[in-house]
Amino acid sequence: MPAAPTITIADAKLQQLLDYWRSKRRGTALPRRDAIDPVEIPRLLPHLMLSEPIDGGADFRYRLVGTAVVEAAGMDFTGKSQNELLPPTPYRDYVQGLNRLVMRERRPLYAESSYRSHRLSDRWTFRLILPLATDGEAVGMMLAGQVFGARANLPAPPPVAESADFEAGAYLVLD
C-alpha cells in the first residue's frame, strides 16, 4: 500500500496533537501509551479522549473524556462503551468503523462528520484518532482529539430528534 500523504490539518489543536503523537514515536511505528503525558499538552486536554478496544474492537470503552467533548455531548461518558452510549444506527457504525480502521492500519486517522447530539446537531465534528501501543506493537488504546464547529458553505443537518441520519465528511488515514 502506498504511504499516505503528509498533510497539515487545518485545526491548530488537532495538528498540535498529531505533532505531539509523532514526537512520541521515537523511531517506532506507534508510541506507547505510557509515553503520553497530559501535562505536556494542557491546552489540548479539553478536546482529548482516550479509549480502549473491547473484544478485539467489537466495542470501545472511553477511559478519559475532555471537558469540551463532555460539554458538546451534554454528559461525561468516561467509563462507558460506545455500544452503551450510541443506539445501533449508521452513526455508531461510522464511529466504530473509524476506530477499527485505526486499529487495523496502526496509523492516525483524520475524519469529519455531522455531530449527532441533542445539543449540537447543527455542528460538525473534526476528529483525529491516534493509535497507541500497550503490549508490544498491538493497538491497545487510542488517543483522539475532537473539535466542533460549522462546516463552511453547507446547510446544517436536521436536529437529531428529527433524524437518526448523519452526514459523513472526508476522512484520511495519515502517516
Side-chain angles (χ1 to χ4, degrees):
M1 176 187 327
T6 300
I7 66 163
T8 300
I9 297 172
D11 183 85
K13 291 179 209 74
L14 296 182
Q15 182 63 51
Q16 183 183 355
L17 180 60
L18 180 60
D19 293 343
Y20 175 76
W21 179 87
R22 286 176 171 158
S23 77
K24 296 300 182 173
R25 288 167 63 180
R26 296 195 171 108
T28 62
L30 304 177
R32 292 188 49 81
R33 163 58 185 106
D34 57 13
I36 305 300
D37 185 355
V39 173
E40 297 175 336
I41 50 174
R43 181 177 160 243
L44 303 179
L45 288 177
H47 305 279
L48 296 183
M49 292 178 289
L50 191 61
S51 62
E52 63 184 350
I54 301 170
D55 295 330
D59 195 4
F60 299 87
R61 182 170 319 282
Y62 293 100
R63 291 295 177 200
L64 169 80
V65 180
T67 56
V69 180
V70 168
E71 183 178 324
M75 62 184 268
D76 184 356
F77 44 93
T78 301
K80 303 247 187 236
S81 75
Q82 290 176 345
N83 285 346
E84 291 176 86
L85 294 166
L86 301 171
T89 61
Y91 184 69
R92 182 172 82 181
D93 294 342
Y94 172 77
V95 171
Q96 289 182 336
L98 294 176
N99 288 327
R100 290 178 187 125
L101 182 58
V102 169
M103 284 183 66
R104 184 174 59 250
E105 294 292 324
R106 300 176 63 241
R107 293 179 15 205
L109 177 114
Y110 172 80
E112 303 174 356
S113 74
S114 58
Y115 188 66
R116 307 313 304 152
S117 165
H118 65 286
R119 299 184 68 160
L120 290 175
S121 62
D122 63 338
R123 296 290 185 178
W124 278 76
T125 186
F126 308 89
R127 298 176 176 90
L128 179 65
I129 306 171
L130 306 162
L132 300 173
T134 56
D135 182 17
E137 292 293 311
V139 176
M141 297 201 94
M142 286 170 284
L143 176 64
Q146 190 166 9
V147 296
F148 304 89
R151 188 169 180 204
N153 303 320
L154 290 178
V160 72
E162 295 175 17
S163 172
D165 294 335
F166 77 102
E167 185 177 347
Y171 75 89
L172 180 64
V173 177
L174 306 172
D175 63 352

